[in-house]
Amino acid sequence: MTMKKSSLYVLAGMLGSVSAPALAQTTPTSQMERLDRGVVALPGNGGGEFVSWRLLGTDDEAATAFQVLRDGVNVSGTITRSTCFVDAKGRAGSRYRVVTLRHGEAVDTTEAVTPWANPYLALKLDRPAGGPGYGYSPNDCSVGDVDGDGRYELIVKWDPSNSKDNSQKGKTGRVYLDAYRLDGTRLWRIDLGPNIRAGAHYTQFLVYDFDGDGKAELICKTAPGSVDGGGSFVSAASTDARITATDNAKDYRNGNGYVLSGPEFLTVFSGETGRALHTIFYRPNRGFGHSGSAAYASAWGDSYGNRGDRFLAAVAWLGGPAARPSAVMGRGYYTQAYLWAVDFDGHELSTRWLHGSVDDNTVNLWDADGKLTTKRHTTNTSGKGSHHTLYANGNHNLSIGDVDGDGKDEILYGQAAVDDDGQLLYSVGYGHGDAMHLSDLDPDRPGLELFDVHEENIEPYGWDVHDAATGEVLHTAEGVSDNGRGLSADIDANNRGFEFWSSNDRKVRSVQTGSVVDSHSTSVNFRIYWDGDLQDELLDGGKIDKWNGHGTTRLYINGKNPYDYNHSSSCNGTKATPNLMADLFGDWREELILWNAADSCTLNIFSTNLPTAYRVPTLMHDHVYRMGVAWQNTAYNQPPHLGYYLPDRFAVKPDDPTGVRTLRSPACDEEEMVYNLAGIRQPGPLSALTKGIYIVRKGAVATKVAKD
């Protein structure tokens, strides 16, 4: 490193902080769950105890401050710039409370928490008994406040070891859904029975407050023989005589283990008790041909459920902020594709609409009364693919957001989108894909953008970035037949907006320009907020990496990978996804849940113990992010994203003619920290960074340095 005299400046005094602009958080209050402060304490990265808590989306940020009490004594002073605190003198037996101040007056004090013994919380589960040749492990999870106390409970799907992809023959064990408090208390267990096959594409479960009573429900596909958390068959919760007359002893599995006959149900369960509240026929329904679907084999293109039994699910506010949210259930994406919007009023489920893209050009739309309208679509909004509807345009996942700015959500299905009323919004047309990402990828364009990778070779495009509201294609690149993985995240502080890359085009590209930022490859899995700056880190199974401008640097938790703690393991085979990743408690950084592969009945919940100088409302109060957590367990799991560009919450102005920007006061004043000229903290020491101009700060002195 060399310091050039012409580029060296010493700034007198402590550099101050800048308040975050209010424009970044735009989620309607009606869509924000009532949450408590979510205080958590765990061993600090350098000793002591690390304490963090939530800033809520409903807080008046300018008027809100906090104090941390250890054993009843204020040890933090008044904190205005962050939602975390390192108590250097804290001990394992310390008891912490957080006091909320509004205009300097104490308005709330939390319950006391004691620090975790380790950098993770080991949540012991009640594993179901296995069967001949198979056992169980915890698979995908979701969260919701099922009892209305402001804290999330965890919903766990148990997968048998003989679960199958739709393309694979063989009988599977049953699928179970459990609810747990974070103290390990099991609230209930649902047994989906013999007629729900186990596998990533069969059971998509939604956990959310659908009726607006402040308590989350669970909605999922069920069948004859499904048993609720109270021990009753779900058919008993129906108002349809055909369902109540169901033979719950009948096993519809054929000799290859597929369930290709018999009725299909949709059930809403109480999140608090697990009891079935109402059951209706699933739509479209293979058993009864409801909604005018064609014969099972001919409609989907095969005779064994590979295409017809691929399901998706999401939560969407289709009626806007003043309405109740809807469950959106999807069926099919390789050929026929259906989206079914269902409402729950606290007593009964009812259809809002049913969208059926039955071929490349035809959309059938049934309204709440069953009235059918048919529309023909002969062109795409953009792109050159031959698929003009949802037909063959869907992904193994989906996303939700108000992309057209009308206050109502749209469903992003991959290469096509559906409006809040069930009408086709647009089709890009490049066909089926495995991964997509929705956010404000380009903060200088209005609205949201979507990055998608493609599997089909209908057109020679391996990926595209398009406008989420209109389908306008912004960037494309030629690819091969199956571009199976792709990720978009804001990893580079020196490049405005998100970056993206994929398994068949590993170069890191800018969303703004489509051009290559760097040719070094990195993982193509999940993103995560972890180290405390405003950029995404990269999560691959149980490893967290930081983009350093030319590759990645490994981030450790007290010197170890998450994988190295308590036999932690990822889920879903080669996909290597977490059981769940979401902002569950503490400050705005995300929690990571991995299961214990040694005992198969423990979840290890990791929370960051790295200080941050940034104060951000809980990510769960951002609408796009919260909807992402709700659909995260769907099929090929994808990470949630914010609906806004996080660095723009902290837009700052130059405070000197040289272009040095005002920096926030760091959490640890004696630690050397390096920032770029936008005030964004950089990973690692100055010696590890690329050529450029930086601010190096230690204590009260900041130095502007040009590195050759």
Side-chain angles (χ1 to χ4, degrees), residues 74-85:
N74 183 354
V75 293
S76 67
T78 297
I79 300 173
T80 60
R81 298 172 181 168
S82 69
T83 47
C84 65
F85 175 72

Side-chain angles (χ1 to χ4, degrees), residues 166-178:
N166 298 55
S167 61
Q168 300 170 339
K169 300 178 181 179
K171 291 186 178 181
T172 74
R174 300 186 178 201
V175 177
Y176 298 96
L177 295 167
D178 286 0

Side-chain angles (χ1 to χ4, degrees), residues 520-601:
H520 288 77
S521 63
T522 186
S523 60
V524 191
N525 199 341
F526 264 51
R527 49 138 310 272
I528 189 171
Y529 289 124
W530 190 261
D531 69 351
D533 65 13
L534 300 178
Q535 274 63 54
D536 293 291
E537 284 69 60
L538 298 166
L539 173 66
D540 187 20
K543 300 172 291 184
I544 302 173
D545 291 321
K546 184 72 178 179
W547 180 253
N548 60 26
H550 296 284
T552 57
T553 302
R554 180 63 44 83
L555 299 182
Y556 296 101
I557 303 175
N558 293 8
K560 297 181 179 180
N561 291 309
Y563 269 157
D564 300 324
Y565 288 101
N566 204 29
H567 308 283
S568 292
S569 179
S570 58
C571 290
N572 301 312
T574 59
K575 301 300 181 186
T577 57
N579 297 77
L580 182 69
M581 187 208 72
D583 181 14
L584 303 179
F585 41 69
D587 66 25
W588 56 275
R589 275 83 58 79
E590 292 156 299
E591 278 63 51
L592 167 65
I593 303 181
L594 303 170
W595 64 284
N596 183 320
D599 66 14
S600 298
C601 60

